[in-house]
Amino acid sequence: MKRIFLFVIPFLFFSAAFLSEGADEVIQKLNEHLARYPQEKAYIHFDKPYYSVGETIWFKAYLLGAEKSNPQALSSLIRAELIDPNNKIISKRELKVTQGGAAGDFLLPETLDPGKYTVRAYTNWMRNFDNDYFFRKSFEVVKTYVSDSLQEVSSPAGGKLNMKFFPEGGDLVSGLASIVGFKVVDENGLGVNVIGEILDTSGTSLTTFESSFVGIGKFLLKPQYGINYYARISINGKSQEFQLPDTKQEGCIMRVNNGYKSDKVTVAITSNGVNLTSGFVIGHQNGNVFSKIVNKGLKSSFGIGLDSEIFPSGICHLTFFDASGTALTERIVLVKHEPVRVKVEMEADREVYETRQLAALKLKLTTADSSDVLGNVSVSITPKEIITYTANYQNIKNYLLLSSDLKGYIEQPEYYFQQSEESFRALDNLMLTQGWRRFTWKSVLSDSGIQSQFLAEDGITVSGQLFDLYAIEKPRSGRVSMSIFDGTFNYLEGETDDDGKFIFASLDFEDSTDLMIQGERIIGKKGKSDDNVFIKLDPVTEPIVDAEFISETPFQTKLDANYLSEKKKIEKIDRAFDLDKEAIILDAVEIFSRKDYSNDPFRSRTQYYSEPSARLAF
């Protein structure tokens, strides 16, 4: 039997926010923190959802400032890496960003093994923060011409399920009725819809639950301290059980009601053993504060109602602080406002084209009132008969507004932007289960800062250090010059620091460019110099590949059979006209035996000489 808990909380509705010294101090520290450590977002648009060996991945990279999702990013150089199924970086690109965008490509050699490949994109500045900020997209690469037959492409079968729980506001607190979000996934990281029940250690069933979309759902529970709770789910005739988080004896929780098509967002704070007087709620998005509300005198519970219009588009955070400025509970919401519609018109230079005839297309962007819009866009042209996109696939809109601010893989992200009550409820469940933040309040309020080990780049950087030529472990200060041979001759020079370190930053040249770096140390007070120095360039390092994250990221698209068939036809045509492709590529074979030289007159087990350059046989 399902139990329903009812509780009443006094609500205060605000159209304007009250002020408090504690809230103002927190906001000031937050603004100072984000001014020193601005956030960035990277996104890549690909020309196709999957590829075969021998193809080229064409892509457009976008770099935006996270604060307002506009091209005003701190960096001007974006790094893109192609990662193979063994989590090894096999190709890299450093791209100069102009007006928020940069174009690039990866060639997929025919020697590649088929499997799951991932593109990762980030800036050097983003390396100062959690790698979860990096853009990642996994896709399938197939080999369509193996032993003159189509390769079978299949996905691994699902196995044991995994279930995680997310109490609203962060914790289960004794005696406080809480909404608990949950997510159930299979071994491929895909959501699985289930039904189940919550039980205590005595085996008593307290409530039932059912997931609503891709394995995500919620239930209501009033836990008691010292009692363990677990969920039992049934699927395919088998039951599995999962332990809920422990219940805290004291604390506070946050309840948020973001109603479908409602003009209010209500927030309720309740506590057990925590004094809420003079506490305050701050609403912010990427550090931009849009609301601050102070609890004037209610001790154990209070509520507020906020106009939904004050919430900006995208994920917003609501955080409650006690009177001392300590963050106690937090919840994220996404209020969907009607987007600004941009109309895209495409004009071709002719109505009908012949085979392989050059086509010139013009794009025009306008708003609903026909006003022109400036934009940085990417266009990919592929045959619609052989390319199939999975429903609700990832795009730049749902990535910037949703996925980029949530941890882990978001399945079918476009579904959450549909205009329906079902998708709205599913979105709120997603906010319960995969909410996170780009910074911790502890680091903001303690002013501990971030170790800015990696600098923002405005171009290519070359750095290194001078050492004594005859004692290469001893650094030497001096002068360094660099010549760049990129069609024109560019010459740069400068002095090192006392430890011999030097850096040339904001360089702008294309790959395969020759550089010559020369150094000299300064001797004595008169500034004499000699070139008895050793130059050691700083190695170019990449962040560690998060193998677990990549392995848990499933494909967002399914291969189209027409695509495989078409690629096989193209491969046959290419081989017919390419002398380097006359042979049929066979599967790899390992040979473990050795050639028998026992009857070879020119080989002897006792010979002391190596293979001769020539022989005379009589």
Side-chain angles (χ1 to χ4, degrees), residues 16-198:
F18 288 118
L19 303 180
S20 89
E21 293 181 1
D24 289 340
E25 184 178 356
V26 168
I27 292 172
Q28 180 180 351
K29 289 185 176 181
L30 174 60
N31 291 334
E32 292 173 354
H33 179 85
L34 294 177
R36 289 195 300 268
Y37 312 110
Q39 306 287 298
E40 297 178 331
K41 293 182 180 181
Y43 175 79
I44 288 185
H45 170 74
F46 298 90
D47 64 319
K48 289 202 297 288
Y50 38 73
Y51 299 88
S52 65
V53 296
E55 286 190 309
T56 297
I57 300 174
W58 302 101
F59 66 86
K60 177 73 172 289
Y62 294 91
L63 179 61
L64 304 170
E67 183 178 351
K68 296 181 180 179
S69 290
N70 60 27
Q72 304 301 319
L74 185 65
S75 305
S76 298
L77 188 76
I78 192 169
R79 300 164 181 254
E81 299 163 346
L82 180 62
I83 302 171
D84 71 7
N86 298 317
N87 302 314
K88 303 294 184 184
I89 299 173
I90 59 174
S91 187
K92 299 182 293 184
R93 297 289 184 269
E94 292 186 359
L95 305 172
K96 181 74 172 179
V97 177
T98 304
Q99 296 181 345
D105 65 276
F106 288 114
L107 175 64
L108 299 174
E110 294 189 356
T111 55
L112 279 183
D113 293 326
K116 179 181 180 180
Y117 288 76
T118 301
V119 170
R120 179 174 71 171
Y122 58 92
T123 66
N124 197 50
W125 175 253
M126 290 168 67
R127 298 177 64 180
N128 293 305
F129 311 96
D130 196 309
N131 287 4
D132 283 313
Y133 300 122
F134 294 178
F135 171 86
R136 298 178 182 88
K137 176 70 178 292
S138 294
F139 49 85
E140 193 163 0
V141 174
V142 296
K143 185 175 290 188
T144 57
Y145 201 93
V146 178
S147 301
D148 201 27
S149 64
L150 273 177
Q151 180 191 4
E152 294 292 331
V153 180
S154 60
S155 301
K160 190 174 181 180
L161 302 181
N162 183 26
M163 186 176 189
K164 293 184 179 181
F165 303 94
F166 308 86
E168 186 173 21
D171 297 305
L172 290 175
V173 179
S174 182
L176 302 182
S178 300
I179 294 292
V180 181
F182 66 86
K183 184 175 183 180
V184 182
V185 297
D186 61 18
E187 63 181 6
N188 299 320
L190 297 174
V192 178
N193 286 326
V194 297
I195 58 174
E197 58 181 339
I198 301 298

Side-chain angles (χ1 to χ4, degrees), residues 220-231:
L220 184 66
L221 179 67
K222 188 175 183 179
Q224 299 298 323
Y225 180 72
I227 298 178
N228 294 324
Y229 301 91
Y230 63 95

Side-chain angles (χ1 to χ4, degrees), residues 193-267:
N193 286 326
V194 297
I195 58 174
E197 58 181 339
I198 301 298
L199 305 97
D200 59 19
T201 49
S202 67
T204 302
S205 179
L206 304 177
T207 186
T208 60
F209 60 83
E210 181 177 357
S211 55
S212 60
F213 178 67
V214 293
I216 301 176
K218 62 185 174 186
F219 56 85
L220 184 66
L221 179 67
K222 188 175 183 179
Q224 299 298 323
Y225 180 72
I227 298 178
N228 294 324
Y229 301 91
Y230 63 95
R232 178 185 293 163
I233 61 175
S234 299
I235 186 169
N236 298 329
K238 296 181 180 180
S239 296
Q240 298 184 39
E241 297 180 351
F242 301 89
Q243 190 78 27
L244 267 69
D246 293 337
T247 302
K248 297 177 63 175
Q249 189 171 7
E250 295 183 345
C252 66
I253 64 172
M254 177 184 291
R255 294 280 300 275
V256 174
N257 183 13
N258 179 18
Y260 177 60
K261 291 188 176 180
S262 173
D263 59 355
K264 295 288 184 182
V265 176
T266 58
V267 183

Side-chain angles (χ1 to χ4, degrees), residues 363-421:
L363 291 179
K364 184 179 181 180
L365 308 181
T366 57
T367 59
D369 59 359
S370 300
S371 300
D372 291 342
V373 176
L374 293 177
N376 194 333
V377 302
S378 55
V379 179
S380 59
I381 301 176
T382 53
K384 66 178 182 179
E385 295 82 5
I386 65 173
I387 297 297
T388 300
Y389 287 90
T390 301
N392 304 310
Y393 62 92
Q394 183 188 84
N395 56 45
I396 191 169
K397 178 192 71 177
N398 58 53
Y399 180 80
L400 293 179
L401 293 179
L402 182 68
S403 303
S404 62
D405 282 321
L406 293 180
K407 191 172 185 178
Y409 171 71
I410 308 300
E411 188 175 349
Q412 300 189 43
E414 186 61 21
Y415 173 80
Y416 300 105
F417 291 87
Q418 294 182 9
Q419 299 300 319
S420 69
E421 187 170 1

Side-chain angles (χ1 to χ4, degrees), residues 276-297:
L276 305 181
T277 304
S278 298
F280 51 92
V281 175
I282 288 181
H284 71 93
Q285 182 189 72
N286 293 321
N288 289 319
V289 176
F290 58 83
S291 176
K292 48 185 176 181
I293 306 294
V294 180
N295 174 28
K296 291 298 184 180

